[in-house]
Amino acid sequence: MNLAWKEMKKSKTKFVILGSIVFLISLLTFIISGLANGLSQDNAALIKNLPDGAIYMETAAEETHALSAIDMETQQAVLLEKDGAFAFSIQMGFLLNEQDEQQSVAFVTSTSSAEFPDVSKDEIILDRSLEEQGIKQGDTFTNSQFNGEFTVAGFSDGVKYSHAPVAFVHPNNYAEMYRTEDLQMLFVPEAAGLEAIAGLQSFSVDEFLNTLPSYSAEQLSLSMIVWFLVVISGMLFAIFFYMMNIQKFGLYGILKAIGVKTGALFRMIWVQMLVITAIALTLAIVLSQVFEILAPSGMPFYLPISTTLQLSAVFFAIGFAGATLSGFQIRKAQPLQAIQQGEG
Amino acid sequence: MIFSTSNIKKNFTTGEVSEEILKGIDLTLAEGEITALVGSSGSGKSTLLTIAAGLQTPSSGEIHFDGQDLGALSPEKTRQIRAESFGFVFQSSHLVPFLTAEEQLLLMLETAGSPLSTKQQRQEVEKILDEVGMGHRKSAYPASMSGGEKQRIAIARAIVHQPKILFADEPTASLDSTKSREVMELLQKLTKTLNIATLMVTHEEDLLTYADRVLTMKDGRLA
């Protein structure tokens, strides 16, 4: 007899309330994770979206890309030798529109690459978020360090750096603005082979991100928030399923007294835990994904389905542990003791 | 004798104080007989019944059922004996709240490993429910039953798998005198017709007329 299912069918309201708690806790965790990931993406999507590979900068720059300048000879040698490699630079700056209103951006320029868009001279390609703010193709902008005018040639998706939208510019325009022909960094895809290059220091994408002071400090705080939330939610899950069964000690005592096998009691505990958790987590995953679609465009929110599945697996495991722990308590108790505790 | 206990003792320890509730009980039960256990409150009669029924373990002593020493058996074997050969009627019926009357009995048959087919099990359950006068309430949940109805279902659950021993702990405690007599007549009938050895704890002297033997407990001993 499927005792777990019969109890859930008879006590629908009770189990719906229990499931709602699991749903709300998991939804909260998913949303906060999405916001934290969103902030992280907002800070470094430009770099995070690069494929696996290495970023090289000048050793003398001591891990500060703004101080790095790779000489043209080295740059040419690497670009010739490594398929898919490209050189690039990033500098924070601003654009002025026709009404002299400032728009903070991260100027990025690069040699021809598959990862960054090719930009013609005196044109810029902006992050899509600026289009959502009302900037249109053909709009013009100036910059105090640049004598000409930039014309918006198009928009690119998900390119942010240091919480600012990226503006891709032509290398010549970049050279004029920042008075340097040398680019700061080289990117070499993993497939092209990663070797040491004299005078340059190599970083994986994650290592490079950690050289950015604003990113690493922010990431520490965000990671702490998310992990505290995951740990506390996990503990709540475990306590929740433990208490749910301990409260039914009397019932399990009766079932033990009439001779129901301990295995059947464990099955009852596990089935209820799994059904409640599966339904609650499925709803939370669906709702969090809907939220990602409907979230206001200005709100940094990034929640890949893989993240929700990983968190769900953690919740399942912890919930299972809590439920199993209560099962051991029930198994240990003599039937009469369980009945009396249930009555007490 | 199908069931006997030998020198059963039970101590309860609270903090540093240990109290001996049962002081060496020898008890025998015979098939087709109701043995009533009476005594003042705190005399140890319910403790003896629950130990005999395997719902808690004694501090020392032996319990023999059908030639086997229950204390020497594994917990799984004890559970199996409890499921197949023992029936219980508790003071308050202790039905499973989310099962209908019919399901309570079906669960008991399943737990006892009944060899009957599902259809035969349902027929058997219907027969027993009719016997205890609850055939018309087979789809009712405990929450919608009166105290007397619950106790009748508890008795039906206790005997549906045709146990060899029936343990009843004050089975009429929550009933009025008319209902109490009805329940006792039912217990008496089932004990005789199914040839069950019934051990019943009661403090109601009126009900002793239904018993074949009356044992009195005083201060943890059988008088």
Side-chain angles (χ1 to χ4, degrees):
Chain A
M1 187 176 289
N2 192 340
L3 293 172
W5 190 245
K6 285 199 179 292
E7 188 185 12
M8 286 192 286
K9 222 170 94 181
K10 178 75 177 72
S11 313
K12 282 188 208 84
T13 313
K14 186 177 100 182
F15 281 93
V16 165
I17 292 169
L18 296 176
S20 306
I21 297 168
V22 177
F23 162 72
L24 290 172
I25 293 171
S26 42
L27 182 64
L28 173 74
T29 311
F30 291 163
I31 296 290
I32 299 290
S33 297
L35 289 169
N37 283 339
L39 273 175
S40 171
Q41 280 291 112
D42 205 50
N43 200 350
L46 178 81
I47 304 297
K48 283 185 154 194
N49 292 341
L50 288 175
D52 286 340
I55 294 169
Y56 293 85
M57 71 170 96
E58 215 183 9
T59 308
E62 295 182 339
E63 303 190 355
T64 306
H65 73 82
L67 301 179
S68 175
I70 296 171
D71 63 75
M72 201 55 78
E73 196 182 328
T74 310
Q75 179 185 309
Q76 289 305 328
V78 173
L79 297 189
L80 273 175
E81 192 188 332
K82 306 284 185 188
D83 272 353
F86 62 93
F88 68 104
S89 284
I90 307 168
Q91 284 286 1
M92 299 308 292
F94 59 88
L95 292 168
L96 289 168
N97 67 12
E98 287 164 3
Q99 288 79 42
D100 267 355
E101 289 168 341
Q102 276 193 7
Q103 170 65 56
S104 289
V105 291
F107 285 109
V108 175
T109 193
S110 72
T111 56
S112 179
S113 101
E115 310 306 328
F116 297 160
D118 283 330
V119 195
S120 304
K121 212 170 161 223
D122 297 340
E123 286 186 347
I124 47 171
I125 291 178
L126 300 172
D127 177 59
R128 181 83 58 199
S129 62
L130 292 178
E131 186 182 30
E132 285 153 10
Q133 285 179 26
I135 295 172
K136 300 183 296 295
Q137 204 169 338
D139 283 359
T140 56
F141 289 92
T142 56
N143 178 280
S144 56
Q145 292 157 278
F146 177 57
N147 289 328
E149 266 189 348
F150 287 122
T151 306
V152 177
F155 297 93
S156 188
D157 287 312
V159 278
K160 289 279 193 83
Y161 184 81
S162 197
H163 299 295
V166 162
F168 291 103
V169 295
H170 189 272
N172 289 358
N173 295 142
Y174 185 90
E176 183 187 335
M177 287 162 71
Y178 294 103
R179 313 277 186 266
T180 175
E181 296 279 321
D182 295 335
L183 295 178
Q184 296 165 345
M185 292 163 278
L186 279 165
F187 177 78
V188 178
E190 198 168 26
L194 305 176
E195 291 129 23
I197 302 170
L200 301 185
Q201 191 176 354
S202 127
F203 302 86
S204 68
V205 169
D206 284 341
E207 284 167 350
F208 175 77
L209 289 171
N210 284 323
T211 67
L212 309 174
S214 68
Y215 180 85
S216 50
E218 186 180 279
Q219 243 358 70
L220 266 178
S221 302
L222 292 175
S223 298
M224 198 61 100
I225 291 168
V226 170
W227 281 109
F228 259 116
L229 192 65
V230 169
V231 169
I232 289 169
S233 303
M235 285 170 69
L236 278 175
F237 267 55
I239 293 167
F240 178 78
F241 283 113
Y242 179 81
M243 289 311 296
M244 184 180 99
N245 289 306
I246 292 300
Q247 278 190 335
K248 294 195 294 184
F249 222 62
L251 167 69
Y252 292 119
I254 296 165
L255 293 172
K256 280 184 85 162
I258 64 171
V260 173
K261 285 184 183 174
T262 309
L265 299 183
F266 268 98
R267 267 199 302 284
M268 183 175 171
I269 289 168
W270 285 331
V271 166
Q272 290 182 344
M273 176 261 150
L274 290 173
V275 170
I276 292 175
T277 311
I279 294 173
L281 285 176
T282 306
L283 283 174
I285 289 172
V286 169
L287 210 68
S288 60
Q289 292 300 309
V290 169
F291 183 80
E292 182 161 23
I293 296 163
L294 300 180
S297 55
M299 178 191 284
F301 190 87
Y302 180 66
L303 187 65
I305 196 85
S306 58
T307 305
T308 55
L309 292 178
Q310 279 167 5
L311 287 171
S312 300
V314 170
F315 289 155
F316 258 116
I318 298 175
F320 184 80
T324 305
L325 198 65
S326 63
F328 285 132
Q329 293 285 93
I330 290 158
R331 187 177 72 174
K332 211 168 62 184
Q334 292 185 7
L336 186 72
Q337 181 198 355
I339 292 171
Q340 285 169 344
Q341 278 190 31
E343 285 170 344
Chain B
M1 290 296 163
I2 189 166
F3 184 93
S4 65
T5 68
S6 166
N7 199 26
I8 291 290
K9 292 182 180 175
K10 182 70 177 177
N11 299 316
F12 284 110
T13 306
T14 313
E16 290 178 3
V17 182
S18 179
E19 193 183 356
E20 196 173 33
I21 302 295
L22 300 180
K23 298 170 179 168
I25 305 281
D26 297 324
L27 170 78
T28 56
L29 299 178
E31 287 159 307
E33 255 188 29
I34 293 181
T35 304
L37 203 52
V38 294
S40 57
S41 181
S43 60
K45 52 190 190 302
S46 285
T47 305
L48 175 61
L49 180 125
T50 52
I51 286 174
L55 299 179
Q56 61 175 328
T57 50
S59 302
S60 66
E62 288 179 3
I63 302 167
H64 291 273
F65 165 72
D66 228 1
Q68 302 173 89
D69 176 5
L70 295 189
L73 300 177
S74 67
E76 171 53 22
K77 186 70 190 158
T78 316
R79 180 208 65 78
Q80 202 179 339
I81 287 176
R82 229 173 33 233
E84 291 173 7
S85 306
F86 291 180
F88 307 95
V89 182
F90 301 98
Q91 211 174 101
S92 45
S93 52
H94 284 319
L95 297 176
V96 179
F98 52 84
L99 297 182
T100 63
E102 185 186 33
E103 288 167 343
Q104 308 271 352
L105 274 61
L106 285 171
L107 173 67
M108 193 62 240
L109 282 178
E110 186 186 303
T111 303
S114 167
L116 300 176
S117 67
T118 310
K119 192 180 167 192
Q120 287 170 323
Q121 284 187 12
R122 286 190 183 278
Q123 285 169 346
E124 183 65 18
V125 164
E126 272 190 35
K127 194 182 92 186
I128 300 286
L129 284 175
D130 284 338
E131 264 186 66
V132 298
M134 289 292 289
H136 65 295
R137 299 280 279 150
K138 70 173 186 177
S139 302
Y141 285 97
S144 67
M145 293 177 195
S146 68
E149 285 178 328
K150 282 184 199 170
Q151 211 58 345
R152 281 167 178 274
I153 297 297
I155 291 170
R157 181 180 66 181
I159 52 108
V160 68
H161 56 303
Q162 302 187 348
K164 292 180 177 166
I165 320 266
L166 178 63
F167 297 97
D169 188 5
E170 306 214 28
T172 58
S174 54
L175 307 177
D176 61 33
S177 57
T178 312
K179 289 271 173 8
S180 293
R181 276 197 300 278
E182 283 174 19
V183 165
M184 282 313 300
E185 280 164 14
L186 181 64
L187 272 180
Q188 193 180 42
K189 186 179 96 180
L190 295 169
T191 301
K192 302 296 176 196
T193 54
L194 299 174
N195 202 30
I196 299 171
T198 299
L199 177 64
M200 175 184 73
V201 164
T202 184
H203 65 274
E204 292 173 70
E205 287 190 9
D206 297 356
L207 305 182
L208 298 182
T209 52
Y210 297 97
D212 299 289
R213 276 199 303 155
V214 177
L215 303 174
T216 306
M217 279 201 75
K218 194 175 179 190
D219 299 330
R221 289 194 173 86
L222 282 176

